[in-house]
Amino acid sequence: MTTAITRTDMTAQELRNAARSSRDSDAACRMLAIAMVLEGARRQAAAQSCGMDRQTLRDWIIRYNDEGLAGLSNRGGQGGKSRLDEAQQGRLAELVREGTDPERDGVVRWRRSDLARRMKKEFGVVLHERTVGDYLAVLGFRRLSVRPQHPKTDEETQEAFKKTS
């Protein structure tokens, strides 16, 4: 069973013109294949000339009938549902801005694995450290590494040592 092109808002020539001005090469190729079918070419020949299978052309014709030219472009992936909601992401950003407390957190500076452990403890959400890195990037944090400083550093003693050296 073949699927007819039921959309009549564009002629074959208009489809070719739209393909010519399109910045999406994949969609342009699909427009040309549909234009060939509108001109009376066999679907197998139209599909082969545009580098696709006849069944694939049929699927694109269905999307063209439903959505028009916009349906001929690739759709982005939907992605997975975020494991942290807005409030939890805000808390993660707050933790990073505040820094660590060595007494409470047991670390001098945050690593992604430490933040993942903290998210599990606070929210019960298990995150891989790479996922924590993705959340930090979305929140606008960049991976910067400063020279570590011991929490009990006495700067006056250091300055006095520099003067005597």
Side-chain angles (χ1 to χ4, degrees):
M1 179 179 158
T2 60
T3 303
I5 300 174
T6 58
R7 201 169 187 93
T8 59
D9 56 344
M10 294 185 84
T11 64
Q13 187 57 43
E14 290 171 335
L15 276 170
R16 289 182 188 282
N17 292 338
R20 195 172 299 120
S21 64
S22 175
R23 296 178 76 65
D24 182 1
S25 61
D26 292 332
C29 189
R30 295 165 192 147
M31 290 177 214
L32 292 174
I34 292 174
M36 288 178 69
V37 172
L38 282 175
E39 290 172 340
R42 296 180 51 95
R43 289 182 185 230
Q44 183 68 36
Q48 283 179 346
S49 70
C50 294
M52 65 179 88
D53 188 56
R54 186 180 53 82
Q55 181 64 36
T56 306
L57 176 59
R58 176 191 168 274
D59 296 340
W60 287 114
I61 288 174
I62 291 171
R63 279 197 30 196
Y64 174 71
N65 284 338
D66 293 341
E67 303 171 32
L69 287 181
L72 297 179
S73 295
N74 289 335
R75 296 180 180 145
Q78 301 301 317
K81 183 178 178 269
S82 179
R83 296 174 119 182
L84 296 180
D85 61 20
E86 293 294 323
Q88 292 169 335
Q89 288 181 30
R91 176 66 180 137
L92 175 62
E94 185 180 310
L95 281 172
V96 173
R97 284 189 196 100
E98 288 175 358
T100 62
D101 179 15
E103 300 295 322
R104 179 189 65 212
D105 301 317
V107 294
V108 178
R109 64 185 175 127
W110 287 122
R111 296 175 304 173
R112 294 180 299 179
S113 58
D114 300 325
L115 289 168
R117 197 174 319 111
R118 184 69 180 264
M119 292 290 104
K120 182 178 180 183
K121 186 171 115 181
E122 280 194 30
F123 304 121
V125 178
V126 178
L127 298 173
H128 190 274
E129 63 184 69
R130 288 183 187 153
T131 307
V132 173
D134 292 340
Y135 279 116
L136 292 174
V138 167
L139 292 170
F141 293 102
R142 299 290 172 254
R143 183 176 179 217
L144 299 175
S145 182
V146 297
R147 185 173 180 159
Q149 185 175 6
H150 194 277
K152 295 181 182 176
T153 301
D154 184 10
E155 294 194 19
E156 291 175 6
T157 307
Q158 285 181 349
E159 287 300 319
F161 178 79
K162 286 180 188 177
K163 288 179 183 176
T164 60
S165 298

